[in-house]
Amino acid sequence: MRALLARVPPLYAVVARALPLLTVVACALVVVGCVAPSPVVPTPSPTREPGTLTVTALLDLSGPRASLGNAQRNALQIWADQQQVRGTRQLRLRWKAVDVAGSEARLIVELRRASENDGADAVIVGTPLARYGDNLLRATELARLPILLTLPAPEPPLGGGRWLFALAPGQDRLDALVPADLAARGITEPPFRLVPPGTDVIHYPAQLGGVRAMRLSGAPKEYPQLAALLKQVVPAPIAYFSYLTDPNELGDLKDAPLVALWPGSRQLVGGSPAFQSPARRDFVKAYADRHGPPATWAATAFDALALIAAAAERSAATAERSTIATRESIRDRLEGTSMVGIASRYGFSRSTHAGPLADDFVLLRWSGSFVTAAAR
């Protein structure tokens, strides 16, 4: 027995031998604990506050079309100011403007951010669209919220959720105003066309001799030498500009010896007593006092907020035990909307998402100190 016990190592020797192994195991456990993934916590969705409507306006606030975006932002602010003073809305509306700088890629990114991060109930897009690219259409389907277009765009496709609504006439309708006006004036020869915008036109007087009309694809500010050119041409031709003309940027063309025309809203300029509504007068006065005469597309942006607010209020009023209007319910209400706005009379349905009445758009001109419908 004594011999057996003699062969058993002392306890301190066992511990000493095992200590390196225990140290390795302990370090391994510490390392595993350090690198183990932390629990995944989902990012909370933006909270939906009852009685509040959130709208994001995607505008060109920088770049060559910054004046378009700034004018629309000014109009949106006037709408918000007027509603705050009146205090008659059932829903409180929060809105913000985001610069997309004329980039479709940036437009798509900001559309996704408005939908997923900001929790917007609707979006206003205030940049012109020549077509609906596949990427943009895919983005509207994923965003799944009403998108109101305030500048000329093709008629919205009804597939992919019916989220797009056009508040401005298509470019084809606007283009048709020029040949109709030429025919009414008895001008049968083709007008002289100056393209693209920014063309140096100072060398054209000889070519304009005898030309009774010319068509320019841009806005007046894109032809800075045009007024000086036309002073050399007798008689001065009629100049047709684009829908994106801002009357505040006519500059020397106000005094040039020509008739400068551009497509716009007859309703905005009060073309008949039927269009002299208190709402129109209030908007025109408020805008003119702050920024000068409003362009048609500024009034359209104003109408966009009015349409969204009206659709959301009707939706919330019919919601059971809730004052929150969903994106789907706002879209459905817009599809049943008929409204007299500032720029046009609008009528949408499930099968028609191009809302403005074509008859509300005519050729406008500068007359003395204000904008009026052109007389032939």
Side-chain angles (χ1 to χ4, degrees):
M1 185 66 178
R2 288 179 179 177
L4 180 62
L5 291 175
R7 291 196 295 268
V8 176
L11 178 60
Y12 71 86
V14 174
V15 173
R17 292 174 183 173
L19 185 58
L21 178 61
L22 293 174
T23 302
V24 172
V25 172
C27 290
L29 291 174
V30 170
V31 171
V32 171
C34 291
V35 300
S38 57
V40 177
V41 179
T43 302
S45 300
T47 57
R48 300 292 299 276
E49 182 180 346
T52 299
L53 184 68
T54 303
V55 177
T56 298
L58 305 181
L59 308 172
D60 294 329
L61 300 174
S62 62
R65 294 201 296 248
S67 61
L68 300 180
N70 288 322
Q72 292 180 84
R73 179 172 57 182
N74 294 337
L76 295 173
Q77 186 60 55
I78 288 174
W79 187 93
D81 292 345
Q82 290 182 351
Q83 301 309 309
Q84 185 175 7
V85 171
R86 293 167 183 166
T88 57
R89 288 288 178 188
Q90 303 172 18
L91 297 176
R92 181 174 57 178
L93 189 145
R94 294 175 177 172
W95 74 278
K96 71 174 184 177
V98 177
D99 183 19
V100 297
S103 167
E104 182 175 306
R106 191 165 174 179
L107 173 63
I108 291 172
V109 169
E110 295 298 343
L111 179 59
R112 179 177 179 180
R113 181 176 287 121
S115 174
E116 297 181 2
N117 298 354
D118 298 343
D121 298 290
V123 165
I124 296 170
V125 172
T127 185
L129 298 174
R131 65 184 186 89
Y132 300 114
D134 293 339
N135 292 335
L136 180 58
L137 289 176
R138 178 62 176 163
T140 63
E141 293 175 13
L142 293 175
R144 297 187 60 81
L145 79 175
I147 301 170
L148 280 65
L149 310 174
T150 59
L151 290 177
E155 185 167 347
L158 297 179
R162 314 187 320 275
W163 297 109
L164 290 167
F165 294 84
L167 274 62
Q171 192 60 50
D172 55 341
R173 292 186 178 182
L174 297 173
D175 290 343
L177 293 174
V178 174
D181 188 73
L182 289 171
R185 296 176 186 273
I187 301 176
T188 56
E189 66 268 21
F192 188 88
R193 184 183 296 269
L194 297 178
V195 290
T199 300
D200 184 358
V201 298
I202 202 65
H203 302 297
Y204 282 112
Q207 301 179 47
L208 289 178
V211 173
R212 298 178 60 190
M214 59 182 180
R215 188 169 182 179
L216 302 100
S217 60
K221 69 174 184 177
E222 298 172 283
Y223 301 91
Q225 298 173 316
L226 185 59
L229 161 67
L230 294 174
K231 291 180 180 179
Q232 306 175 45
V233 180
V234 180
I238 300 171
Y240 295 98
F241 291 99
S242 82
Y243 177 79
L244 303 183
T245 295
D246 186 338
N248 296 293
E249 297 177 344
L250 288 173
D252 292 340
L253 289 173
K254 293 180 180 179
D255 303 319
L258 88 161
V259 177
L261 306 177
W262 65 93
S265 168
R266 174 173 53 184
Q267 182 158 313
L268 175 63
V269 300
S272 73
F275 300 145
Q276 298 286 349
S277 68
R280 187 203 70 86
R281 289 196 298 269
D282 290 347
F283 167 75
V284 171
K285 183 179 186 308
Y287 194 99
D289 287 347
R290 300 183 191 182
H291 313 290
T296 296
W297 25 271
T300 305
F302 184 96
D303 289 343
L305 268 186
L307 283 163
I308 293 170
E313 287 181 345
R314 290 197 301 271
S315 176
T318 58
E320 295 182 2
R321 294 177 292 181
S322 174
T323 57
I324 297 178
T326 66
R327 295 169 174 179
E328 290 80 5
S329 64
I330 294 174
R331 176 200 60 192
D332 294 344
R333 288 294 180 177
L334 282 172
E335 288 182 330
T337 292
S338 294
M339 188 188 88
V340 178
I342 306 301
S344 180
R345 292 164 288 182
Y346 302 95
F348 299 101
S349 69
R350 187 181 177 90
S351 60
T352 302
H353 279 212
L357 188 65
D359 292 344
D360 287 344
F361 295 87
V362 297
L363 291 172
L364 306 180
R365 64 170 295 179
W366 183 262
S367 177
S369 59
F370 57 91
V371 179
T372 185
R376 294 168 180 165

